[in-house]
Amino acid sequence: MTSADPAADIGLLAPVRAGTAVADATGDTAYLQALLDAETALVRAREALGQAPPGTARAVAAAGDVRRYDLRSLAVRARAGGNPVIPLVADLTAAVAAHAPEAAAQVHRGATSQDILDTAAMTVAAGALRTILADLDRTANALARLAAEHRDTPMAGRTLTQHAVPTTFGLKAAGWRSLVLDARDRLAAVLARLPVQLGGAAGTLAALTDPADPDPEAAIRLVEAYAAETGLAVPTLPWHTLRTPVADLAGALALTSGALGKIAADVLVLSRTEIGELAEGSGGGSSAMPHKANPARAVLIASAARQTPALAAVLYGALAAEDERPPGAWHAEWQPLREALRTTGGAAEAAAELTEGLRVHPRRMRENLDATGGLVVSERIAAALAPRLGRAAARTAVAEAAARTAREPVTFRDALTAHPALAGTLSDDDLAPLTDPSGCTGAAGPLVDRALSRGRAPG
């Protein structure tokens, strides 16, 4: 069965957001309802201040049911004026007039299209951010559990794709959590500042001032009342061409996608067949290979991490907006902002599922630690020998023993024992603890404890 609308986009080519809560919250229907709610909220605010007759808001609200409107018609008619608010105001006014003619004149009074669309965009963004924050909380809690459980689980640290020195999986999970908490804090701060938009045609609030009582403070009080009705913040100024709110939101979404992308990147590497240290709780299948259990959630998160920064770049570019309403810069924001919310929201939902079901394989971590015959402890051996041989001589001797280990079937410990410059320097009793990777994780444990002392997410 196919969609009734051939132009419908439900995410066939965007599985990272298809069917997610944020996708629903940012769909055309959600945006249209937000536009209608913005119009209704403005009338409510004006009525509350005595600037519209009693009962007007009720009449407008009754006409503000999204099901009354033809989305496709609005979209097509938006091409004529450049934005969907123009045809929507016409349809909403007609709907109000059909049941309350005296109230129809109050629809959209004093506002401009950008007031309504920006307010609706911030409302939609606020709803999406609340969902994303909830998923980040789930992810942070799951990572806290993993970090505590594997505080001292040794694994190979890798730099430039190669084994470096031992670390612990607890420290890796604590690092992931730190990034998630950074993203959560950034998004929460942006959410608290998302502003209502109301400035009229050129941002002066001129049309919102009653000609019979030209008190400019009355218009400012209306902005405050409008913010209260929408649940958004009160802006210092109308921000038609002062696009800090959108740019801040873009940056926070890009940071969040990148933070989650770091988790995905590590999971993708560590779940490779040849490494096998991690696995998703339930992997994805393959259309050709029955044995596959692909790290599908990590793949989707990685796809979002690559898309969101590019979307944010468009939104940052829109900061250079000329005059009091730009021809194109504002219009260029709409779809990239929605897609940035969707990719980040999809990534956050996938990250919560990924981390809550992540399987950790400590035995495989240990096998990989031992795969180089003990070379991962070379730094520690060189440090132990430096006081006895001198730093340069110790480093040279350890490097030569390491080179032998790499080319011959001999352990690093045996190569050290046999090296002429090291004869009698370190006994077997000395070498045993020094060459044990599990005892060479530095301050990893205390660092995990320190990281976990940062406030846990609620729930």
Side-chain angles (χ1 to χ4, degrees):
M1 183 175 179
T2 60
S3 169
D5 183 355
D9 178 2
I10 58 174
L12 182 64
L13 301 183
V16 68
R17 53 90 165 170
T20 63
V22 170
D24 291 341
T26 56
D28 282 352
T29 298
Y31 259 90
L32 176 55
Q33 188 61 69
L35 291 168
L36 290 164
D37 291 345
E39 293 284 5
T40 302
L42 179 56
V43 178
R44 282 200 179 102
R46 293 182 62 248
E47 185 176 327
L49 296 177
Q51 298 178 13
T56 301
R58 184 170 62 251
V60 176
D65 185 342
V66 71
R67 293 170 295 183
R68 299 174 63 110
Y69 300 88
D70 185 334
L71 265 170
R72 183 172 179 78
S73 171
L74 288 168
V76 172
R77 284 185 289 151
R79 291 177 60 85
N83 76 73
V85 178
I86 297 171
L88 178 60
V89 169
D91 289 0
L92 176 59
T93 302
V96 174
H99 297 91
E102 69 287 351
Q106 302 298 324
V107 173
H108 199 67
R109 184 170 177 179
T112 192
S113 295
Q114 189 170 359
D115 291 332
I116 301 303
L117 206 154
D118 279 350
T119 296
M122 294 298 98
T123 301
V124 168
L129 290 187
R130 283 189 281 268
T131 298
I132 294 170
L133 286 168
D135 284 331
L136 293 180
D137 286 342
R138 288 175 56 196
T139 302
N141 285 336
L143 291 174
R145 291 191 294 271
L146 286 170
E149 180 181 351
H150 294 282
R151 176 186 186 272
D152 301 309
T153 300
M155 66 180 295
R158 296 170 173 90
T159 61
L160 303 182
T161 77
Q162 306 296 300
H163 280 203
V165 297
T167 183
T168 70
F169 181 67
L171 184 57
K172 183 175 288 289
W176 293 346
R177 177 177 179 266
S178 179
L179 281 175
V180 170
L181 293 180
D182 287 345
R184 187 190 69 179
D185 291 349
R186 179 84 174 269
L187 283 178
V190 169
L191 173 60
R193 296 193 302 266
L194 291 179
V196 75
Q197 175 76 285
L198 189 60
T204 64
L205 299 170
L208 299 170
T209 303
D210 186 348
D213 180 21
D215 175 12
E217 293 297 324
I220 294 174
R221 288 194 294 272
L222 178 57
V223 176
E224 295 169 348
Y226 189 35
E229 290 289 344
T230 61
L232 297 170
V234 179
T236 302
L237 296 171
W239 48 281
H240 298 123
T241 50
L242 309 174
R243 307 307 285 175
T244 301
V246 176
D248 278 350
L249 177 55
L253 292 171
L255 184 149
T256 301
S257 287
L260 299 177
K262 161 59 177 171
I263 300 174
D266 283 346
V267 170
L268 289 169
V269 169
L270 298 178
S271 62
R272 287 179 181 272
T273 303
E274 296 82 1
I275 297 177
E277 295 176 359
L278 298 176
E280 290 194 9
S282 56
S286 164
S287 65
M289 295 165 283
H291 71 281
K292 294 292 290 296
N294 296 318
R297 292 181 181 85
V299 167
L300 294 180
I301 297 166
S303 77
R306 286 162 172 77
Q307 294 177 72
T308 312
L311 296 166
V314 176
L315 299 173
Y316 276 118
L319 279 166
E322 62 270 40
D323 301 324
E324 280 61 57
R325 183 158 305 106
W330 171 53
H331 307 74
E333 291 177 349
W334 309 338
Q335 191 66 10
L337 175 58
R338 170 156 70 174
E339 288 305 311
L341 289 166
R342 287 174 162 182
T343 54
T344 306
E349 186 171 313
E353 296 168 352
L354 169 63
T355 53
E356 288 174 346
L358 191 65
R359 289 181 288 156
V360 183
H361 302 304
R363 189 173 76 173
R364 186 62 176 159
M365 290 177 175
R366 180 63 200 219
E367 290 172 354
N368 288 334
L369 261 179
D370 295 335
T372 60
L375 290 179
V376 290
V377 299
S378 65
E379 181 186 53
R380 188 182 195 191
I381 298 295
L385 289 170
R388 308 181 191 196
L389 301 178
R391 183 177 179 183
R395 183 177 178 84
T396 298
V398 171
E400 291 171 351
R404 183 187 172 197
T405 304
R407 69 175 181 266
E408 299 178 17
V410 61
T411 67
F412 186 42
R413 180 173 173 178
D414 289 342
L416 289 167
T417 302
H419 194 284
L422 303 180
T425 305
L426 293 173
S427 67
D428 284 343
D429 289 341
D430 292 328
L431 281 172
L434 288 174
T435 55
D436 178 9
S438 64
C440 190
T441 58
L447 285 171
V448 171
D449 298 337
R450 181 176 181 178
L452 292 182
S453 69
R454 182 176 176 183
R456 286 180 180 266

